[in-house]
Amino acid sequence: MKILCVAEKPSIAKEVSKILSGGRFQVRNSQNKYIKNYDFKFSFPNQANCDVTMTSVAGHLINIDFPPSFQWGKCVPGKLFDAAVIEKVLKQDIFDNISKEARNSNKLMIWTDCDREGEYIGYEIFKAANKGNRQIEVGDIWRSKFSHLERNHVLRAANNPIKLDLKAVDAVSCRMEIDLRVGASFTRLLTEGLKSKSIIDKGDVASYGTCQFPTLGFVVDRYKRVKNFTPEQFWYIQVDLEKDDVKCNFNWTRGHFFDRLHVMNLYQECLKHKEGKIIKLEQRRTTNWRPLPLTTVELQKDCSSIFKMSAKDALGAAEKLYNRGFLSYPRTETDKFPASFDFKTIFGRQKSDPRWGNHATELFDNGYENPRAGKHDDNAHPPIHPVNYVNINELAADEKKVYEYVVRRFLACCCKDAVGQQTTATLKWGIELFTANGLMVTERNYLDVYPYKKWESSKQLPKFQQGDMVSIKNGVMKDGKTSPPNHMTEAELISLMDINGIGTDATIAEHIEKIVSRSYVVKQKKGKVEYIIPTPLGMGLIESFDKMHFDNISLSKPFLRKKLELSLDQISKGETTKETVLEDMKMLYRQAYSISNQNMVNLVDHCKTVIQANS
């Protein structure tokens, strides 16, 4: 029996070959210098001592496009909604290598990443294999289910193959076709319109994407809120007390008012009293929760805010660590560990590290807490966690930060929550109430291994007793002004995209990178914080589309893309079909295209006005 195994990346093919063969394999070159063919023996279920060839692709093998008669300049963009779609091989040498290796194979086994995109790449691999051997049929494909490259995990995946998920394949195919038709039609329409008024240069492209523009819309909306913000003055009362040489500030429970005269009247009533009374003294145990298990979105957000690393760079570093067997698969929505997860083995592998090894040893020797369980499970991969140990001094700068962060987060998940003692004193001065708080952290627990979260003891309150009469050392009426929101950070943008269903956990970074590369936004550093600011062109595009009336459709808001993502989930679950979703989404976007086309002159003129006003 001859088995052809195909992985999604060359590094995965090499690592899996080492594990399945016990290190005893032969290597053959292919026409592509990065793609190797590994030959060895392995016994699969009910198939002992099989001849195995393991090879790989390098991402997608096949793309979809329009025929030559529908290329740019050869048809009006609106025709692309119903034009034929053809497949094009992206990497012919890799495609041919799979076809050649399949000729003498009895079985095809897919080793692509276990997500929706991986299923589709697996189907592309099938097409290449089927071209070389028509006896290989899609229903007979073995599909390995794995999330990291630990030896026993890979062996279990080899010995328990599943079927290729054709519903997931349909979902990706649907998304690709919608993105092609909508993106190409609107991009051509926009580009030609903007060039006609010299808003963009002759060689430039003003691209539109169903994720790209809602992402840009979030940035523009925040920018406008900051720009249009008008500060308002407010007034409040603050009380300073001192007892036993300990000073503390009491804050007014009413907060503040925008009516100066009203606050002045209340303050005048307070001034009639020289003393205040501690009417309530509360002490309670308070908890600072350890973090939830790590998802892709949280990884990108934290790396952005903690290390000032772009989402693209953070995910790229995590993928390199995964490909080398150090981390689990970094594209996951799951924030709960399965009941069968082997925590102690992971602790044991981290015990030798001088930075966090003592914490791993403590958990290994003296027990650990079961991690908190979140509400999300993509039923494909566990949360991101360390798999094998590596000395971080051997890693590149970004990989070092990401690996240490993932390890410390994993260990923190298995520690106890931090505990503190919260004291709240309530002061009555006249008829007004004021409160002061003090915090004593009594058990740091997870905070000791997780330095990215700060929770410190605050200045302690004086030793008040309930019923104490205290002299008012300083009771003042103060004023302030409301502050504008900050501009958008990348971490905030990732959160907004995730909440609104713009892209997936795996593609969020790509969409942000796209609006940067198109010069729709720029990144600007203010102090230690980097913000994302729209360019005049980005502002002009969003404001121009917002000015149109699309009958409950918006091209700059997240609703249409969120509807598509929900529909793709329904395809994956078998609740609807690819054909139904395609027709539904094409109808909505075709309607928006028609309105945009009819109003293109007004759109371009308004865009130019906005650009000039913001330049």
Side-chain angles (χ1 to χ4, degrees):
M1 173 73 88
K2 175 71 181 291
I3 312 291
L4 174 61
C5 295
V6 187
E8 190 166 326
K9 306 175 188 72
S11 58
I12 300 296
K14 183 177 180 179
E15 290 301 316
V16 173
S17 295
K18 283 181 182 178
I19 293 168
L20 298 186
S21 69
R24 296 183 295 275
F25 56 81
Q26 293 181 321
V27 184
R28 291 182 288 113
N29 292 327
S30 73
Q31 291 180 325
N32 185 295
K33 65 179 180 179
Y34 300 107
I35 304 297
K36 307 294 182 184
N37 298 322
Y38 302 91
D39 298 322
F40 54 90
K41 297 277 191 180
F42 184 77
S43 294
F44 289 95
N46 303 318
Q47 299 290 344
N49 206 32
C50 295
D51 292 315
V52 179
T53 294
M54 169 72 77
T55 189
S56 73
V57 293
H60 281 281
L61 264 182
I62 299 169
N63 195 13
I64 58 171
D65 202 351
F66 298 111
S69 58
F70 289 92
Q71 295 304 310
W72 201 313
K74 295 187 177 180
C75 72
V76 295
K79 289 195 173 183
L80 299 179
F81 284 101
D82 298 303
V85 173
I86 59 174
E87 289 187 341
K88 288 186 174 181
V89 175
L90 293 172
K91 300 151 187 169
Q92 192 66 53
D93 52 356
I94 300 177
F95 187 97
D96 291 344
N97 181 59
I98 294 172
S99 297
K100 178 183 174 184
E101 295 299 326
R103 285 174 194 161
N104 299 318
S105 298
N106 306 102
K107 197 83 176 176
L108 174 65
M109 187 171 193
I110 303 297
W111 286 81
T112 53
D113 296 338
C114 288
D115 57 13
R116 199 185 281 168
E117 210 72 21
E119 299 298 319
Y120 190 82
I121 294 173
Y123 189 68
E124 294 175 341
I125 292 168
F126 157 72
K127 289 182 177 179
N130 181 257
K131 184 174 181 181
N133 184 348
R134 297 296 180 187
Q135 310 247 338
I136 293 176
E137 297 182 357
V138 69
D140 297 328
I141 296 172
W142 282 349
R143 201 266 194 266
S144 64
K145 185 174 182 180
F146 70 107
S147 57
H148 54 78
L149 295 174
E150 190 274 327
R151 180 179 177 276
N152 290 331
H153 182 72
V154 170
L155 290 172
R156 278 196 298 271
N159 286 310
N160 296 278
I162 59 175
K163 296 285 187 181
L164 195 67
D165 186 349
L166 296 180
K167 293 186 178 70
V169 172
D170 276 350
V172 175
S173 175
C174 180
R175 189 262 304 158
M176 289 174 66
E177 187 171 332
I178 290 295
D179 285 350
L180 174 66
R181 293 186 186 281
V182 176
S185 58
F186 277 95
T187 295
R188 295 183 194 183
L189 181 70
L190 266 180
T191 299
E192 297 305 323
L194 296 178
K195 282 181 180 177
S196 69
K197 293 294 179 80
S198 301
I199 295 175
I200 60 173
D201 295 332
K202 187 176 181 180
D204 290 344
V205 172
S207 65
Y208 176 88
T210 59
C211 287
Q212 189 179 324
F213 259 52
T215 301
L216 175 60
F218 290 134
V219 179
V220 170
D221 181 65
R222 176 67 65 84
Y223 179 82
K224 289 169 67 177
R225 284 173 56 199
V226 175
K227 184 179 179 181
N228 298 330
F229 181 83
T230 302
E232 291 185 74
Q233 193 169 14
F234 59 81
W235 290 264
Y236 63 99
I237 304 170
Q238 182 176 299
V239 176
D240 300 328
L241 294 184
E242 182 176 343
K243 181 180 180 183
D244 301 329
D245 296 325
V246 179
K247 299 177 182 178
C248 66
N249 300 322
F250 279 75
N251 297 313
W252 197 17
T253 57
R254 293 178 185 258
H256 60 251
F257 288 94
F258 296 100
D259 186 335
R260 180 179 180 276
L261 183 59
H262 178 63
V263 177
M264 176 65 77
N265 289 333
L266 296 173
Y267 178 57
Q268 292 290 347
E269 286 297 317
C270 290
L271 288 175
K272 296 177 181 178
H273 304 270
K274 300 289 186 182
E275 292 184 318
K277 183 178 182 179
I278 303 297
I279 62 170
K280 186 186 293 185
L281 198 62
E282 295 177 293
Q283 286 190 331
R284 62 182 179 85
R285 185 179 187 272
T286 184
T287 301
N288 187 292
W289 303 103
R290 62 196 187 278
L292 283 166
L294 184 61
T295 64
T296 306
V297 168
E298 287 299 310
L299 170 76
Q300 293 174 101
K301 285 166 54 180
D302 279 357
C303 286
S304 175
S305 58
I306 297 169
F307 306 121
K308 316 308 174 191
M309 192 186 302
S310 74
K312 180 183 178 183
D313 289 343
L315 194 53
E319 288 188 334
K320 288 176 183 176
L321 291 165
Y322 160 69
N323 290 337
R324 294 163 66 187
F326 300 137
L327 295 186
S328 63
Y329 187 58
R331 297 175 184 262
T332 178
E333 299 174 8
T334 303
D335 55 7
K336 61 176 74 172
F337 283 103
S340 59
F341 191 86
D342 184 1
F343 293 98
K344 288 201 69 170
T345 296
I346 308 295
F347 301 150
R349 290 174 181 157
Q350 300 294 333
K351 286 164 66 174
S352 62
D353 191 272
R355 299 164 185 83
W356 55 78
N358 59 324
H359 300 289
T361 301
E362 175 71 18
L363 294 170
F364 185 89
D365 292 342
N366 299 322
Y368 60 92
E369 297 290 309
N370 285 322
R372 297 164 57 203
K375 297 179 180 179
H376 305 96
D377 190 345
D378 60 17
N379 297 308
H381 297 288
I384 304 169
H385 62 275
V387 176
N388 290 308
Y389 176 73
V390 60
N391 185 332
I392 59 174
N393 293 324
E394 300 172 6
L395 301 174
D398 283 352
E399 294 171 22
K400 178 178 179 180
K401 293 173 184 174
V402 170
Y403 183 79
E404 179 170 358
Y405 163 76
V406 172
V407 174
R408 288 185 177 276
R409 173 126 180 181
F410 174 76
L411 296 176
C413 286
C414 301
C415 293
K416 292 181 179 179
D417 300 320
V419 179
Q421 188 76 19
Q422 178 88 44
T423 303
T424 302
T426 301
L427 169 74
K428 186 175 183 181
W429 183 30
I431 61 171
E432 298 304 311
L433 299 179
F434 303 82
T435 59
N437 295 297
L439 172 67
M440 176 67 75
V441 177
T442 55
E443 299 175 34
R444 288 184 54 79
N445 295 330
Y446 87 89
L447 295 169
D448 287 331
V449 71
Y450 196 69
Y452 315 109
K453 180 73 174 288
K454 301 297 182 186
W455 197 49
E456 306 288 348
S457 297
S458 63
K459 189 173 182 179
Q460 296 303 295
L461 298 179
K463 293 183 178 179
F464 291 122
Q465 298 292 326
Q466 189 164 319
D468 279 353
M469 299 300 295
V470 291
S471 296
I472 303 300
K473 180 182 179 183
N474 193 26
V476 293
M477 177 176 163
K478 293 186 174 183
D479 68 337
K481 288 186 178 180
T482 53
S483 301
N486 291 319
H487 288 294
M488 187 76 73
T489 65
E490 188 160 4
E492 289 176 305
L493 184 54
I494 292 168
S495 291
L496 280 171
M497 294 172 71
D498 180 46
I499 291 168
N500 287 278
I502 300 302
T504 64
D505 55 356
T507 61
I508 281 174
E510 298 171 16
H511 300 313
I512 296 175
E513 190 66 22
K514 178 63 74 174
I515 62 173
V516 173
S517 67
R518 288 298 186 198
S519 298
Y520 293 163
V521 302
V522 293
K523 293 183 177 181
Q524 292 182 357
K525 202 163 188 180
K526 187 175 181 181
K528 294 183 178 180
V529 182
E530 188 174 66
Y531 296 105
I532 301 177
I533 311 293
T535 62
L537 175 60
M539 286 279 293
L541 290 172
I542 293 299
E543 288 203 16
S544 298
F545 274 113
D546 283 348
K547 196 173 178 65
M548 289 194 189
H549 300 290
F550 287 115
D551 296 331
N552 299 320
I553 299 173
S554 173
L555 295 178
S556 61
K557 296 293 188 288
F559 313 120
L560 272 179
R561 183 66 198 203
K562 188 168 187 177
K563 175 180 172 62
L564 174 59
E565 292 292 345
L566 292 172
S567 297
L568 297 181
D569 286 340
Q570 290 178 323
I571 294 174
S572 296
K573 295 173 183 176
E575 296 171 358
T576 188
T577 64
K578 169 187 171 181
E579 292 72 25
T580 299
V581 174
L582 269 175
E583 289 308 310
D584 186 23
M585 298 308 299
K586 279 166 60 177
M587 180 189 69
L588 292 171
Y589 277 109
R590 189 189 287 109
Q591 178 185 343
Y593 175 88
S594 177
I595 295 170
S596 300
N597 188 33
Q598 293 169 18
N599 292 276
M600 185 49 57
V601 173
N602 293 334
L603 186 150
V604 171
D605 287 343
H606 185 74
C607 185
K608 190 168 187 176
T609 300
V610 174
I611 290 172
Q612 291 171 344
N614 287 277
S615 295

